[in-house]
Each structure stands twice: as structure tokens, then as C-alpha cells.
């Protein structure tokens, strides 16, 4: 039969048996995941509000054309704004509303970039003028920084803002094709205004890149203003996905704006055309960067957990092979290869969640210090957030794709939800800083920190472990001996001439083996990661010191520096997971499950980067084998709790948008029903049959008009 549906007589929960095996209180884990009982209640209430409102349906998002998709997105954005006003939603509720709708649109940039830029870089008068208009959406703004020819290198931007003292105007101009603004979300079709970054030029002198508030479109008919060329840059990767956003192109042809539309909190140009810097501490601008990157890390946890939830539930439903004498086949989730690929992703979702919670604290701490002009922790906070943004987004993008492959052929269907999730998420690896560039920024900070050790300057924050470099360059993991094993040969005080540690480390003999459970001790786990990170950073510093020109050395050693930065960032995530476990965590069996996940996260990283740990002498091959034994044991302990651990994310079927990730596990009828909704199945005989198929079948191609 062609075209039709399968009726399911009785709703069956195919995952009920899995849930019955859970060894912890799922409701309590939901609160841990949400952060607090209040946060859980808000998230749950808003998620159900969205799931039950037909306006927010996702059913046809991957099959409609771009124009219809975009118009539907405009409708949802306007309707969501109406809900915000009608229900008087709080800022927290608005954030959850956006997350639950899960459809990127121009509002993301308006509230996430345009308004914060005015708050952070505008004077009090500018804020009083522009923020009331922006907050009630009387104007809609975007953030126009990236250009066709420059992204990460902001100082290389080509757009100019030349001051004309005769008229008290800036003239905004795009002098080259590559100076065209390219990529800003919300720019293509919606934004009326933009924060435009351009080179300030006064009296022929270039003062570098600064921000300007520029009106782009008429507030009466939405047409571009004179001298402005603006449009959408075209369809992007994936069906649906980020194509709901109107990423734009923008060119200026000598567009004049009043002088007071230069954001002047940090720098300004006087009426006479004199460029001046204000007394405002430029370091305060880093606080906004910390906030934005904290949000990105939290979003990494959200995206990865969605993919893991889909893959976990489907792996529990799907059965393949293993049947004997007509018995039931084996659940895919019971195969160790599936666990080895999926459980570390589950652990990573929780790890990223907890490190993002810590980043919220860091943002608050940085803000409070800055208010009393204490900027001592800012460089470390900047490096830390840059590295974590890079680490979490790269891992999440790869993790979503791995989840798609874990779902076999069905994962390739749009109805699985995974292709669109990947396409929506993967730009995070590039926006707000290219991930490789960010890691190299971290590496520069690490090299600076190591170089300052001889002076006695103590590293702070996430680099504090480097203050124990003399110990970490010698110590060996106690897994096999039951105690730390260190050389009796003194190593020179922290300096750029850390010599001999590699020779010492590789010459040690394996001791009598203890047990794999030693790897579950937080102090053992943490010191192994500290030793690895320290030794990689010191090795890079040593190699860098052999170059006469440090910049030449940095370019030559950039792959090694990149790896050292990754080791440092992974240490941060491991340490924050361990710190989370030191807190009071209520709920039957909850802490035990988190301890298992922490072990999986750390030991899988150790296994994946075994070359680092062995090459630096941080552990021995015997200890590595014990770590692998313990990792397999943890997989077995997590297995009965696997489905319950993704249930703790508390995601609605609407949010997941996946036939494979349904809460009830009713996968196959859902796939079948979804297939018949595809527009290609609107007719039994396809369009084009008479022109192209019938002539072929009837051997009449020579007469057809192709």
C-alpha cells in the first residue's frame, strides 16, 4: 500500500523497563541539572508552555522553502514577544522561552549583542537615548563587525569612519569589496540599526577600530536608507537549521551619521575633531566577553545533551543481532562499543554543565572586582573563558555528529533531529572567536605565566597549579605504589630552564601494581591532569626559548602550543567536575551517578590523549592499562542508569524534535508516520512522470522534449 499510516492502538512506553532499573532519584537529578529547584520549575513550566502551543510547531521546518521558513520564524518571534509582554515574563523566563522555542532569529542578536554593546560601550547619555527604544523593540539592532575579508583579525577591518569637522558628521564607507560587512545575524532582512565597527579617521590619522550606531532602514517603510546596500548572504548548511536567521551583507557608500553616534564610553572624537580616550577602564569591557563565553559554554552543554538524549533512547530501543533460537535480539546499548562512544558524551554533557555554572560565578567575581578597580584576575579569566569556549564547542560539534552515527542509518534522516541540530550548532566553532585562534590566545597566556615563575609571581585562578611546577615536573601517579613517587634529584626552581624532567620521567620503573580503583580517587585523577598540563606547557616554553625571535617560534610551535592549551582547558573541566562533587548533593543515589560520570569523563580523556600522558611521563603504561580497566567498569555501572540520566535533562519531545528520541521510545511508528508527511508523498505519481519517466519506460526518449 502506498500512502497510509499505521495506527497504534495502545500507547506503550518502550523505555519503561529501562527507567525501572535506575539506581537514583531522577527528579532530584533534574534539579542538579537545572541548578536549583527554582530554575527547574521555571524551565519545566516554560518548556511545557511552548510544547503545547501550536504556533511553535516544528513539524515542517526541514521541508519548507527558505522564504516560507523565514516568514514562519518572523511570526514565531513576534508571537513570542507578545507572550513576553502579555505574561510579563521575567528575564529568566524569557531566556527559557527562547531556549524552548529553539529556533534562531534576529532577536538573538538584538538582545544578545546589540543591546549589550550599547550598555558596555555607550555613554550614559547614549544609553538613555537608545536603550529604551531597543528594549521595547521600537528599533531592532544587530552587531556588524565581521567583514568579507576579515573575521578573527578585528584590527584588520577595512570599513572607515572619517570625521568631517565641517558638518560634525562621521562618513561611514566601504572602500573595498572585502570591507563589506558579512555574516551579522538579523542584518539581512530585519534590522533597522546596527552597531558598525569601523576605523576612526580624523585629519588623515587612523585611530583603529571603534563602534558606531548606524541606522540602516527606514522606520516607515523598511527600505534601506540612501548609500546603504544590504541583503541576505544566502542559504546556509543544512535543512531548516540556521536558515531561520537572516545573516546579512552590508555596504556603505559615504553614509553620514552624527558624531554622537560613535560609542564614546571608552574613546571619543571632540567637536573639533580631536581623538581622545576617556578615563573609563577598558578592562571593564572584558566582563561582557566573560559573560558571552559563559553563555556559549552553557549552550554547548544544552546542544550536546539533546544529541545524547536522542542517541541514548534510540540505542535502548534498537535491537540488532544476538538472537538465538528465536529469542529477542540484543539492545544496541548493551554493546560495549556503543557504550564506549556514547557514555563519554553523556559524561561530557554533565561536565560542561558544571563548568558553565562555575563560569557564572567567575563572571560575578570579575564584575565585583572590576567595580572596585581590581582587574588582577581579568587576564586569567579572559584566557580561561577563551579556552573553554573553544574546547566545549569543538567537542560538542563532534559529539553531535558522533550521536548521529550512533543512530545508524536512521540518524541521517531529518526526522531524527540530529542533522538539523548539528547544522544549527556547528557555527559556534567559529563565531565569537575561531576556536584555534582562541586556543593560541590561551597558549600565549600559559607561556607568559611559565616565564614569570622564576620571579616568584604566583599564578592565579585556573593556572594556580603551575605554582607547583617543581613538584608536578617530578611526581608520578600513585596508582601503582599507593604513594607519590618523586625523584630524589632536585629539579631547578621554576624557570625557563626546566631541565631533566623528561629524562627523569621516562627512566622510572613500573612499581608493583595496586588496583584500578585507585583511579577513582579525585586527588590521583587531578594530579595526573595537572602533571600532564604542566609538563606540556613547560616543554613548549623550553622549546620557545631556543628561538631568537619569539613570534617566529610561536608560529613554528603553534601545533604544540595548541595541544598544551587543550590540556590546560581539559584540566579546568575535570577540576570543576571534582569541585562539584565536593558540594552537598541531595537525592538518593544522585552523587554516586555523578561520581561515575566524572570518572568516565576524566578517564576517557586520559585514554583518548594517552600519548600526552605517556610522552610526558605523567603515568606509566601499566597505569594506563589500569585506567582503561576502570573505565570499562564505570561503563557497566552507568548502563542500568543510562536512560534515566538523559531523562534528567527534562527535555520535551517538542524540544528534541526527534522521532528517535521520543520519551516513550515509540520510534518505528513515528518514523513511518513522519515519512508520509514529506511533500514528495503529496501525490502517488510524482510530478515529472509524464515528461521523464514514462518516455523512458516506453522506450520513447527519442520523441520526448527534455
Amino acid at each position: 500500500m502506498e500512502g497510509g499510516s499505521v495506527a497504534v492502538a495502545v500507547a506503550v512506553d518502550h523505555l519503561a523497563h529501562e527507567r525501572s532499573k535506575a539506581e537514583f532519584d531522577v527528579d532530584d537529578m533534574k534539579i542538579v541539572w537545572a541548578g536549583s529547584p527554582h530554575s527547574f520549575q521555571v524551565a519545566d513550566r516554560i518548556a511545557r508552555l511552548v510544547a503545547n502551543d501550536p504556533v511553535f510547531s516544528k513539524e515542517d521546518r526541514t521541508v519548507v522553502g527558505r522564504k516560507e521558513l523565514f516568514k514562519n520564524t518572523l511570526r514565531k518571534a513576534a508571537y513570542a514577544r507578545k507572550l513576553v509582554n502579555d505574561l510579563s515574563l521575567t528575564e529568566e523566563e524569557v531566556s527559557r522561552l527562547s531556549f524552548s522555542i529553539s529556533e534562531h532569529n534576529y532577536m538573538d542578536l538584538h538582545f544578545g549583542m546589540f543591546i549589550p554593546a550599547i550598555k558596555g560601550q555607550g555613554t550614559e547619555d547614549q544609553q538613555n537615548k537608545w536603550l529604551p527604544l531597543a528594549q521595547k523593540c521600537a528599533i531592532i539592532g544587530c552587531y556588524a563587525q565581521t567583514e568579507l575579508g576579515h573575521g578573527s583579525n578585528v584590527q584588520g577591518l577595512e570599513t572607515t569612519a572619517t570625521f568631517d569637522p565641517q558638518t560634525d558628521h562621521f562618513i561611514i564607507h566601504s572602500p573595498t569589496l572585502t570591507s563589506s560587512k558579512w555574516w551579522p545575524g538579523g542584518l539581512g532582512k530585519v534590522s533597522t540599526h546596527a552597531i558598525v565597527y569601523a576605523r576612526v579617521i580624523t585629519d588623515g590619522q587612523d585611530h583603529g577600530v571603534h563602534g558606531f550606531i548606524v541606522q540602516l532602514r527606514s522606520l516607515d517603510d523598511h527600505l534601506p536608507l540612501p548609500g546603504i546596500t544590504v541583503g541576505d548572504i544566502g542559504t546556509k548548511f543544512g535543512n531548516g537549521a540556521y536558515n531561520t536567521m537572516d545573516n546579512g551583507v552590508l555596504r556603505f557608500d559615504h553614509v553620514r551619521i552624527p558624531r554622537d553616534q560613535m560609542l564614546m564610553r571608552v574613546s571619543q572624537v571632540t567637536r573639533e575633531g580631536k581623538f581622545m580616550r576617556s578615563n573609563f577602564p577598558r578592562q571593564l569591557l572584558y566582563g561582557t566577553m566573560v559573560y558571552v563565553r559563559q553563555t556559549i559554554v552553557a549552550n554547548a552543554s544544552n546542544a550536546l545533551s539533546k544529541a545524547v538524549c536522542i542517541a541514548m533512547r534510540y540505542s535502548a530501543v534498537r535491537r540488532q543481532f544476538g538472537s538465538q533460537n528465536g529469542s529477542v535480539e540484543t539492545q544496541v546499548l548493551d554493546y560495549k562499543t556503543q557504550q564506549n562512544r556514547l557514555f563519554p558524551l553523556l559524561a561530557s554533557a554533565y561536565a560542561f554543565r558544571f563548568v558553565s555554572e562555575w563560569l557564572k560565578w567567575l563572571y560575578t567575581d570579575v564584575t565585583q572586582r572590576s567595580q572596585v578597580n581590581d582587574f588582577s584576575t581579568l587576564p586569567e579569566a579572559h584566557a580561561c573563558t577563551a579556552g573553554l569556549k573553544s574546547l566545549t564547542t569543538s567537542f560538542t560539534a563532534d559529539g553531535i555528529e558522533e550521536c548521529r552515527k550512533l543512530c545508524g542509518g536512521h540518524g541521517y534522516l531529518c526526522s531524527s533531529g540530529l542533522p538539523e541540530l548539528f547544522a544549527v550548532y556547528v557555527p559556534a566553532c567559529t563565531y565569537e572567536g575561531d576556536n584555534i585562534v582562541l586556543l593560541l590566545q590561551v597558549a600565549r597566556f600559559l607561556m607568559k605565566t611559565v616565564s614569570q615563575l622564576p620571579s616568584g609571581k604566583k599564578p592565579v585562578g585556573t593556572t594556580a597549579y603551575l605554582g607547583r611546577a617543581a613538584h608536578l615536573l617530578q611526581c608520578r601517579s600513585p596508582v601503582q605504589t599507593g604513594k607519590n613517587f618523586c625523584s630524589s634529584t632536585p629539579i631547578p626552581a621554576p624557570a625557563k630552564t626546566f631541565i631533566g624532567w623528561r629524562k627523569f620521567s621516562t627512566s622510572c620503573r613500573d612499581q608493583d601494581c595496586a588496583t584500578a580503583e585507585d583511579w577513582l580517587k579525585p586527588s590521583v585523577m587531578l594530579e595526573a591532569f595537572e602533571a600532564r598540563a604542566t609538563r606540556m606547557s613547560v616543554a613548549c616554553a623550553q622549546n620557545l626559548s631556543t628561538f631568537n625571535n619569539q613570534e617566529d617560534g610561536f608560529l613554528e610551535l603553534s601545533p604544540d602550543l595548541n595541544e598544551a592549551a587543550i590540556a590546560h582547558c581539559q584540566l579546568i573541566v575535570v577540576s570543576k567536575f571534582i569541585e562539584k562533587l565536593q558540594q552537598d548533593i541531595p537525592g538518593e543515589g544522585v552523587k554516586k551517578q555523578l561520581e561515575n560520570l566524572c570518572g568516565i569523563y576524566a578517564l576517557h580523556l586520559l585514554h583518548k590523549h594517552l600519548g600526552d600522558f605517556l610522552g610526558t611521563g605523567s603515568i606509566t603504561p601499566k597505569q594506563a592499562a589500569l585506567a582503561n580497566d576502570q573505565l570499562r567498569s564505570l561503563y557497566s555501572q552507568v548502563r542500568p542508569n543510562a536512560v534515566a540520566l538523559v531523562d534528567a535533562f527534562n527535555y520535551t519531545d517538542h524540544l528534541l524534535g526527534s522521532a528517535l528520541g521520543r520519551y516513550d521510545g515509540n520510534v518505528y511508528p513515528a518514523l513511518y508516520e513522519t515519512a508520509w508527511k514529506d511533500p514528495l508523498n503529496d501525490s502517488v505519481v510524482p510530478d515529472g512522470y509524464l515528461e521523464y519517466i514514462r518516455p523512458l519506460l516506453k522506450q520513447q526518449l527519442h520523441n520526448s522534449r527534455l
Side-chain angles (χ1 to χ4, degrees):
M1 179 183 74
E2 187 167 358
S5 63
V6 175
V8 181
V10 181
V12 178
D13 185 350
H14 292 277
L15 293 171
H17 176 64
E18 283 290 329
R19 295 185 172 106
S20 70
K21 297 187 292 185
E23 301 164 334
F24 68 100
D25 190 311
V26 178
D27 290 335
D28 285 330
M29 187 68 85
K30 288 179 180 179
I31 293 173
V32 172
W33 177 261
S36 70
H38 169 75
S39 296
F40 169 74
Q41 290 165 6
V42 170
D44 187 64
R45 173 165 47 83
I46 297 298
R48 296 182 189 283
L49 171 71
V50 171
N52 293 325
D53 195 321
V55 171
F56 297 121
S57 171
K58 299 180 180 180
E59 204 163 84
D60 59 354
R61 196 161 70 179
T62 60
V63 295
V64 299
R66 176 87 195 280
K67 282 188 175 181
E68 186 178 352
L69 175 71
F70 185 66
K71 187 174 181 180
N72 287 344
T73 300
L74 295 181
R75 173 174 172 247
K76 291 177 184 180
Y79 182 73
R81 202 66 209 160
K82 183 175 184 298
L83 281 181
V84 171
N85 296 334
D86 292 350
L87 301 178
S88 299
L89 297 184
T90 65
E91 187 175 335
E92 180 184 12
E93 289 169 329
V94 171
S95 175
R96 294 309 304 183
L97 180 67
S98 176
F99 173 74
S100 298
I101 294 171
S102 189
E103 190 161 311
H104 290 287
N105 62 74
Y106 63 90
M107 288 291 188
D108 299 349
L109 284 302
H110 177 70
F111 285 102
M113 296 296 287
F114 181 73
I115 289 178
I118 296 174
K119 286 181 177 179
Q121 300 171 43
T123 62
E124 186 175 348
D125 287 343
Q126 289 175 321
Q127 292 184 44
N128 290 337
K129 175 181 179 179
W130 295 102
L131 288 180
L133 296 171
Q135 286 166 339
K136 65 182 180 182
C137 295
I139 62 174
I140 298 170
C142 64
Y143 190 82
Q145 176 175 292
T146 300
E147 295 178 353
L148 188 58
H150 289 88
S152 298
N153 182 17
V154 176
Q155 295 310 311
L157 296 180
E158 299 176 79
T159 303
T160 57
T162 305
F163 182 64
D164 179 3
Q166 301 298 319
T167 61
D168 199 25
H169 283 113
F170 279 103
I171 303 170
I172 311 296
H173 184 58
S174 305
T176 63
L177 177 65
T178 52
S179 68
S180 305
K181 296 299 179 184
W182 190 272
W183 275 114
L187 170 64
K189 294 296 176 182
V190 177
S191 293
T192 62
H193 291 67
I195 302 295
V196 175
Y197 286 86
R199 313 192 72 82
V200 172
I201 299 174
T202 63
D203 196 25
Q205 185 176 357
D206 188 330
H207 300 282
V209 176
H210 298 269
F212 297 82
I213 301 175
V214 183
Q215 184 172 349
L216 308 176
R217 292 180 170 97
S218 165
L219 294 176
D220 294 323
D221 58 13
H222 208 60
L223 289 174
L225 297 181
I228 288 175
T229 301
V230 62
D232 188 88
I233 61 172
T235 303
K236 298 171 287 288
F237 179 59
N239 289 30
Y242 218 85
N243 289 299
T244 55
M245 182 72 78
D246 56 325
N247 297 91
V249 53
L250 171 65
R251 288 183 58 76
F252 299 97
D253 184 3
H254 299 92
V255 174
R256 290 179 173 269
I257 63 170
R259 177 175 56 87
D260 65 4
Q261 286 180 215
M262 173 185 178
L263 292 172
M264 294 188 179
R265 193 176 188 184
V266 175
S267 304
Q268 61 179 287
V269 172
T270 67
R271 176 65 185 85
E272 295 74 29
K274 183 180 180 181
F275 180 84
M276 298 175 59
R277 295 195 183 278
S278 70
N279 294 325
F280 177 79
R282 295 177 64 86
Q283 295 97 324
L284 286 176
L285 300 179
Y286 283 111
T288 302
M289 192 178 297
V290 172
Y291 173 76
V292 170
R293 288 174 177 167
Q294 176 273 320
T295 303
I296 292 174
V297 174
N299 288 341
S301 174
N302 292 334
L304 182 58
S305 58
K306 288 181 190 177
V308 169
C309 186
I310 293 168
M312 193 73 74
R313 287 175 176 170
Y314 179 63
S315 296
V317 171
R318 183 75 166 177
R319 292 177 179 272
Q320 292 290 292
F321 306 110
S323 64
Q324 295 180 354
N325 302 321
S327 62
V328 66
E329 291 181 279
T330 302
Q331 288 172 279
V332 170
L333 192 54
D334 284 334
Y335 288 107
K336 287 294 182 180
T337 49
Q338 193 82 349
Q339 294 174 18
N340 187 53
R341 295 164 66 194
L342 184 53
F343 288 178
L345 299 178
L346 171 66
S348 298
Y350 276 90
F352 295 169
R353 191 70 166 189
F354 299 145
V355 82
S356 74
E357 287 180 359
W358 171 75
L359 284 175
K360 287 182 182 178
W361 170 86
L362 181 66
Y363 170 68
T364 302
D365 181 67
V366 165
T367 302
Q368 291 174 346
R369 288 173 180 268
S370 298
Q371 289 169 351
V372 293
N373 291 325
D374 176 5
F375 305 115
S376 60
T377 62
L378 265 178
E380 186 272 332
H382 175 259
C384 166
T385 54
L388 289 175
K389 183 271 179 185
S390 175
L391 181 79
T392 58
T393 55
S394 292
F395 186 92
T396 295
D398 293 342
I400 295 170
E401 168 62 6
E402 184 70 3
C403 285
R404 183 195 66 77
K405 292 186 284 189
L406 283 162
C407 292
H410 295 334
Y412 192 64
L413 285 167
C414 283
S415 57
S416 76
L418 292 166
E420 186 179 16
L421 179 58
F422 178 76
V424 165
Y425 186 77
V426 76
C429 296
T430 307
Y431 63 61
E432 288 305 307
D434 175 84
N435 282 356
I436 298 300
V437 173
L438 291 179
L439 285 175
L440 291 175
Q441 289 179 12
V442 177
R444 283 190 184 276
F445 180 74
L446 291 173
M447 294 304 97
K448 182 178 180 180
T449 302
V450 171
S451 71
Q452 292 175 337
L453 291 177
S455 68
K457 184 176 181 180
K458 291 187 177 181
V460 298
T462 57
T463 58
Y465 68 95
L466 288 171
R468 297 165 38 241
H471 165 73
L472 292 171
L473 289 172
Q474 301 179 69
C475 68
R476 294 293 297 270
S477 172
V479 167
Q480 295 185 34
T481 64
K483 61 181 180 180
N484 260 2
F485 178 74
C486 297
S487 170
S488 59
T489 304
I491 299 294
K496 68 178 182 180
T497 55
F498 276 116
I499 296 172
W501 63 269
R502 185 182 300 275
K503 180 180 177 182
F504 164 79
S505 299
T506 57
S507 66
C508 290
R509 304 294 185 189
D510 286 353
Q511 306 299 310
D512 293 336
C513 178
T515 63
E517 284 76 13
D518 285 343
W519 275 114
L520 298 182
K521 298 174 182 176
S523 60
V524 172
M525 195 183 297
L526 191 59
E527 188 163 82
F529 277 82
E530 288 177 339
R532 168 215 184 195
T534 299
R535 297 176 189 199
M536 292 178 72
S537 288
V538 169
C540 285
Q542 286 179 320
N543 292 333
L544 200 57
S545 68
T546 65
F547 287 81
N548 293 326
N549 185 302
Q550 290 292 289
E551 285 305 309
D552 288 345
F554 202 88
L555 288 172
E556 181 66 26
L557 299 174
S558 56
D560 295 341
L561 290 161
N562 186 70
E563 293 300 318
I566 290 173
H568 170 69
C569 294
Q570 288 175 343
L571 167 60
I572 295 174
V573 180
V574 170
S575 67
K576 298 311 168 186
F577 206 144
I578 290 173
E579 285 181 16
K580 178 70 177 182
L581 294 175
Q582 292 170 348
Q583 299 174 11
D584 179 32
I585 302 177
E588 182 183 354
V590 170
K591 191 168 188 175
K592 174 60 177 173
Q593 294 307 313
L594 294 178
E595 288 172 345
N596 289 342
L597 291 176
C598 182
I600 287 175
Y601 180 74
L603 295 181
H604 184 264
L605 283 180
L606 188 150
H607 178 71
K608 184 177 179 182
H609 298 274
L610 194 55
D612 290 350
F613 287 90
L614 293 176
T616 59
S618 302
I619 65 172
T620 66
K622 188 69 174 180
Q623 290 168 333
L626 287 172
N628 209 36
D629 291 343
Q630 185 56 52
L631 184 58
R632 287 196 302 272
S633 174
L634 289 172
Y635 290 159
S636 297
Q637 294 176 55
V638 165
R639 172 60 189 92
N641 301 283
V643 169
L645 283 166
V646 299
D647 285 349
F649 302 149
N650 201 43
Y651 292 150
T652 62
D653 284 349
H654 171 272
L655 180 69
L656 292 178
S658 171
L660 303 185
R662 291 171 57 101
Y663 182 84
D664 62 8
N666 213 17
V667 168
Y668 299 120
L671 282 171
Y672 191 84
E673 293 280 357
T674 303
W676 292 112
K677 294 177 182 178
D678 190 279
L680 202 58
N681 286 322
D682 287 346
S683 61
V684 175
V685 177
D687 293 342
Y689 166 75
L690 291 176
E691 298 97 322
Y692 310 117
I693 300 177
R694 181 181 171 84
L696 181 64
L697 293 173
K698 299 299 183 181
Q699 303 296 297
Q700 296 175 348
L701 281 178
H702 61 283
N703 295 327
S704 64
R705 301 178 63 183
L706 298 176

